[in-house]
Amino acid sequence: MGEGKGRRVTTTLDPPHPGPSSSTHSVKRRERASVLSVYGGAGLPFALRRASPLATGGCSHVGRKSAPHWPLPGGGARERLDLGSVGLKGRLLGLEAGEEAQAMVPALRYLGSVCGLARGGFPGGFSAACTPAPGKPWLLCQGGRRASTSSFDVVIIGGGIVGLASARALILRHPALSIGVLEKEKDLAIHQTGHNSGVIHSGIYYKPESLKAKLCVQGAALIYEYCNQKGISYKQCGKLIVAVEQEEIPRLKALYERGLQNGVQDLRLIQQEDIKKKEPYCRGLMAIDCPHTGIVDYQQVALSFAQDFQEAGGSVLTSFEVEDIEMAKESPSRSKDGMKYPIVIRNTKGEEVRCQYVVTCAGLHSDRISELSGCNPNPRIVPFRGDYLLLKPEKRYLVKGNIYPVPDSRFPFLGVHFTPRMDGSIWLGPNAVLAFKREGYRPFDFSARDIMDIIIKSGLIKLVFQNFSYGVNEMYKACFLSATVKHLQKFIPEITISDILRGPAGVRAQALDRDGNLVEDFVFDGGVGDIGNRILHVRNAPSPAATSSLAISGMIADEVQQRFKL
């Protein structure tokens, strides 16, 4: 990506009006010096949406204000905003002036009004600087430092919640550095972050003294604190982990002790009568009450991290799919930087970004990015799709907070559970079935390359043999709703198959070693040689990575500072 391929424009989203359901935010634009990406086409970030209050009676509404929100993938509820006095005809910033344009005009009107016509703006407030080169990704500039559009001190590969939190942590700690984020999609946080169940986990499940346990407990406290500071809505509805069979009670008590060891606050074991007080329609013999478990829109949180990063001077380039990482062979001609930026990151369009150091947070593609850089590709990523069901609106009263089963240590996943969402819906699930594509959210999404990698390079075959009955059961439940409903009825007998609908799905990046063992904890590594010594790979950031994102980012910033001597 050479000089001059992006426009130097900055966008800042003002805090929302303090009304309880406010969702429209004013937008200002200032000229700055380094590049951030704006999302071209239908993905422009100024379509805002309202978050509906949770339509249940048991969750305490803690956050009061809505933070700036980019549109959700797949079409979130967007406000219909009138074109008003702008009067643009034909194409609006590369879009037909239709419904998508309508959702963005007020934000763009603010942009133009701040820039003013003195800099060559169009009538109605649209500056010529807002128009990208045909066919190029939008670039949104931010920051006061003198940095070229293609050279950075540190580059983060991956625009999910972990990558954005890490970028934010690094630039807040090292404000003099030029830092960029590269994201292959035209929008940020649309894969694991955008398909997340939204639960703020307490840290009860994880092995004591593991990174998972420590980072989850720390991260949950930091997420609540951050949401309070930024006015991001969340709900601390709590969670019940419910034993419905006598044989589950010893495992439940062991889990309770583990939670205490991990430092989870205010846990208590409760009996049938207390279960009914918290969840009137739930049956169970005994349960763990986790009052500090909550729910939030993690995509909204991630985009708030991105905004913090922008405002601190960071740069985000979207539509930049990394294809190659190598050491520069010689200084680019007429470059003042010389070999200050020795690493060349090239995308699928042949555009380049140069940098001194790289941090990769590539999620579902973490093994491939590691391999591109010449580092160890193991552990390999195996994608598991989780399908959710939806409780029909008229039946949402059956569930107030999170209801989880007692996990079975013989199997790798937590099992089907009941999860309220910030928009008021209730998700039931997920199952866990092999996805035939790394970003395959539908049952028949297929990638030959992904399948070959799974079969040849990972330990999947061994995993299948070790968990054959579990895998068959998950496949059966994915095909037959009645099987899932039968399981759900163990907890809420009133649910029937007529009360549920098929819902969304997510894909989990599960790291797997060659022996077929799931890599359960966070994995960070680098490499050797010229490139390996300049790269930090986040190789495995499993659930609860979203909950832990701020704690993870602090650890990554520490590691980067120590490893790269910043």
Side-chain angles (χ1 to χ4, degrees), residues 145 169-179 557 560-561 566:
R145 63 177 59 85
L170 283 169
I171 204 164
L172 292 178
R173 190 176 297 191
H174 303 284
L177 296 181
S178 59
I179 301 176
V560 167
Q561 184 170 333
L566 296 183

Side-chain angles (χ1 to χ4, degrees), residues 19-344:
S21 63
S22 172
S23 63
T24 304
H25 313 288
S26 62
V27 183
K28 298 179 181 178
R29 191 185 72 191
R30 301 188 303 273
E31 293 291 342
R32 286 285 181 91
S34 55
V35 180
L36 275 170
S37 84
V38 170
Y39 315 3
L44 278 164
F46 306 113
L48 308 176
R49 69 186 183 91
R50 286 191 178 93
S52 303
L54 184 65
T56 62
C59 297
S60 59
H61 186 280
V62 180
R64 295 293 180 185
K65 296 181 286 185
S66 298
H69 204 120
W70 278 259
L72 284 174
R78 298 177 180 175
E79 298 198 33
R80 292 300 177 195
L81 304 174
D82 188 26
L83 283 168
S85 61
V86 176
L88 285 182
K89 296 180 181 179
R91 298 183 65 80
L92 174 64
L93 300 180
L95 286 176
E96 296 297 333
E99 290 185 350
E100 292 292 331
Q102 289 179 358
M104 297 178 287
V105 167
L108 293 169
R109 187 185 300 129
Y110 278 111
L111 284 173
S113 65
V114 175
C115 288
L117 297 178
R119 292 201 295 269
F122 296 113
F126 294 93
S127 168
C130 293
T131 308
K136 297 295 179 184
W138 274 84
L139 295 173
L140 171 68
C141 301
Q142 180 77 24
R145 63 177 59 85
R146 294 178 59 83
S148 75
T149 59
S150 58
S151 298
F152 302 96
D153 295 313
V154 181
V155 161
I156 290 91
I157 297 176
I161 194 168
V162 173
L164 293 170
S166 300
R168 173 184 177 273
L170 283 169
I171 204 164
L172 292 178
R173 190 176 297 191
H174 303 284
L177 296 181
S178 59
I179 301 176
V181 171
L182 307 181
E183 167 55 43
K184 74 184 182 72
E185 305 292 353
K186 63 182 177 64
D187 297 319
L188 294 173
I190 69 169
H191 287 300
Q192 291 191 98
T193 305
H195 292 79
N196 193 285
S197 65
V199 176
I200 303 174
H201 291 282
S202 63
I204 189 173
Y205 293 108
Y206 317 115
K207 183 179 178 180
E209 301 302 318
S210 66
L211 274 177
K212 257 191 178 184
K214 293 176 181 178
L215 294 175
C216 184
V217 173
Q218 295 170 13
L222 291 172
I223 282 288
Y224 283 129
E225 181 181 1
Y226 182 83
C227 290
N228 286 332
Q229 290 174 351
K230 295 293 181 177
I232 297 174
S233 296
Y234 65 87
K235 293 165 187 174
Q236 203 168 50
C237 351
K239 172 168 68 177
L240 293 184
I241 303 173
V242 182
V244 294
E245 305 289 349
Q246 196 68 38
E247 65 184 26
E248 294 175 334
I249 290 179
R251 299 205 311 268
L252 184 76
K253 290 180 177 179
L255 187 63
Y256 171 74
E257 294 298 327
R258 172 174 283 194
L260 295 180
Q261 287 181 269
N262 289 342
V264 180
Q265 298 296 307
D266 300 325
L267 290 180
R268 62 190 186 113
L269 283 170
I270 61 175
Q271 305 299 323
Q272 295 183 47
E273 56 272 18
D274 290 321
I275 293 174
K276 288 292 183 183
K277 289 177 183 177
K278 295 189 72 70
E279 292 286 351
Y281 297 93
C282 179
R283 63 173 289 269
L285 303 176
M286 184 182 292
I288 299 173
D289 179 18
C290 308
H292 299 301
T293 298
I295 56 173
V296 73
D297 182 341
Y298 277 119
Q299 191 175 46
Q300 185 179 7
V301 173
L303 296 175
S304 183
F305 291 163
Q307 184 183 346
D308 294 344
F309 177 63
Q310 294 177 28
E311 292 174 349
S315 303
V316 180
L317 281 70
T318 59
S319 300
F320 196 102
E321 184 173 358
V322 175
E323 185 177 61
D324 191 25
I325 304 172
E326 63 180 8
M327 295 296 291
K329 295 178 176 61
E330 59 183 17
S331 300
S333 60
R334 297 189 299 276
S335 171
K336 296 180 181 179
D337 294 329
M339 291 303 290
K340 181 181 178 183
Y341 305 107
I343 297 181
V344 178

